[in-house]
Amino acid sequence: MSEPSSRKISKLSRRKLIATGLTAAAGVAGVGVAARLAQKYGLVPPDHGGIWGLGETLTYASQRLLTRHSLAREFSRSQISKPPFANELEPFTDEFKRLQAGGFADWRLSVNGMVARPTSFSIDQLKSYPAHNQITMLQCEEGWSYIAEWIGVPLSQVLQTVEVLPQARYVVYFSIEPDWWESIDMADALHPQTLLTYGMNGDELPVGHGGPLRLRLPRQVGYKNVKFITQLAVTDSLKGFGKGLGGANAEGGYAWYAGI
Ligand SMILES: Nc1nc2c(c(=O)[nH]1)N[C@H]1C(S)=C(S)[C@@H](COP(=O)(O)O)O[C@H]1N2
Ligand SMILES: [Mo]
């Protein structure tokens, strides 16, 4: 992105309006009920303490209670966007170009934290699991969207392989781009539509769309769909990661839970 700061500022004020509107609409009684429900079900997002805390908790808790088990809409092949819209990226680093020149044979996804068997996967190893396809919409919070076929391995398959410990609550995922990391709760991590994708529209996943490996999470907006994934950390708390808000975007003022 060429102008990250101006982009964040405009979004920040928009988020503030949304949060304020939500809180006002819920009314004092509604807020109390939602807050109690959120506590009861452990649905307090890590960014709840911010200036828009109440709004974020409300959005996360109500989405979670209503849509925990629902699926994002899937489309038919004829609805695939031509061409898909690729958002702007920072220029690729020398390290990335070296990996790309080698056909990403040396790319690794390392999985650690609260798992019985910390493991480092190559792209070929990920491709050795049964491939899953989905035709879903990627929606940026800035208003644009596109539909594509995504091909990959369910995140749940990888988590099962490394044996997630029972106390785990979140999966934190990191890009090779240092400013890009995010996290999701176990409900989203184990959701059948949450894929580690390496393919798009019948082909390799283009680098513009996050190749060789991208987390695809159709039930949350664009910025949670982090490109160039190199690491997953399984944890029971987000406090030890960055400022403890659960992701680089939450630290920039966006919602940690960005459900659609
Ligand atoms: N590593 C990384 N992941 C990223 C981004 C980025 O700049 N770097 N942009 C995010 C945003 S804001 C959106 S909307 C989508 C854009 O996905 P697309 O390029 O496939 O359209 O990727 C998300 N994932
Ligand atoms: Mo976005």
Side-chain angles (χ1 to χ4, degrees), residues 7 87 140-141 223:
R7 183 173 169 276
N87 208 357
C140 172
E141 72 298 342
Y223 63 76

Side-chain angles (χ1 to χ4, degrees), residues 8-229:
K8 299 245 167 176
I9 288 162
S10 67
K11 205 139 10 153
L12 218 60
S13 41
R14 193 145 31 96
R15 288 224 56 81
K16 188 175 174 182
L17 280 175
I18 294 166
T20 313
L22 247 178
T23 311
V28 178
V31 167
V33 170
R36 273 200 303 280
L37 279 175
Q39 289 292 347
K40 182 173 169 197
Y41 290 96
L43 299 177
V44 179
D47 52 352
H48 69 100
I51 355 182
W52 310 302
L54 206 46
E56 302 298 10
T57 298
L58 262 180
T59 311
Y60 176 57
S62 59
Q63 286 270 351
R64 273 293 172 240
L65 292 172
L66 295 172
T67 66
R68 241 184 315 189
H69 305 292
S70 71
L71 294 172
R73 180 170 171 202
E74 301 209 6
F75 297 82
S76 67
R77 208 153 282 279
S78 65
Q79 289 171 297
I80 290 175
S81 312
K82 300 177 201 73
F85 184 91
N87 208 357
E88 256 180 276
L89 286 165
E90 297 289 336
F92 293 126
T93 59
D94 288 345
E95 188 199 0
F96 187 90
K97 287 183 196 154
R98 183 184 62 77
L99 289 162
Q100 187 178 17
F104 296 120
D106 292 334
W107 192 275
R108 290 292 178 274
L109 170 72
S110 67
V111 188
N112 50 38
M114 291 187 153
V115 300
R117 283 194 301 272
T119 309
S120 168
F121 298 87
S122 67
I123 301 295
D124 277 351
Q125 277 172 299
L126 294 174
K127 285 181 176 171
S128 73
Y129 297 106
H132 285 237
N133 295 38
Q134 56 168 259
I135 301 175
T136 51
M137 183 183 278
L138 186 138
Q139 286 175 270
C140 172
E141 72 298 342
E142 295 190 314
W144 51 267
S145 65
Y146 68 88
I147 295 168
E149 177 201 28
W150 304 88
I151 308 153
V153 54
L155 179 58
S156 63
Q157 167 77 66
V158 170
L159 296 176
Q160 193 187 319
T161 305
V162 299
E163 276 184 57
V164 168
L165 303 181
Q167 64 268 37
R169 290 189 57 200
Y170 305 99
V171 175
V172 189
Y173 43 104
F174 299 87
S175 169
I176 202 167
E177 293 192 294
D179 292 342
W180 280 88
W181 63 280
E182 274 294 340
S183 60
I184 47 178
D185 64 15
M186 276 298 159
D188 267 336
L190 300 175
H191 189 275
Q193 289 175 314
T194 300
L195 301 186
L196 279 163
T197 55
Y198 46 72
M200 185 191 222
N201 296 339
D203 225 319
E204 300 287 307
L205 179 62
V207 293
H209 291 285
L213 195 66
R214 175 182 200 171
L215 191 84
R216 180 71 187 113
L217 182 72
R219 297 196 316 162
Q220 292 205 44
V221 297
Y223 63 76
K224 298 291 285 193
N225 292 250
V226 174
K227 303 173 178 184
F228 321 120
I229 298 290

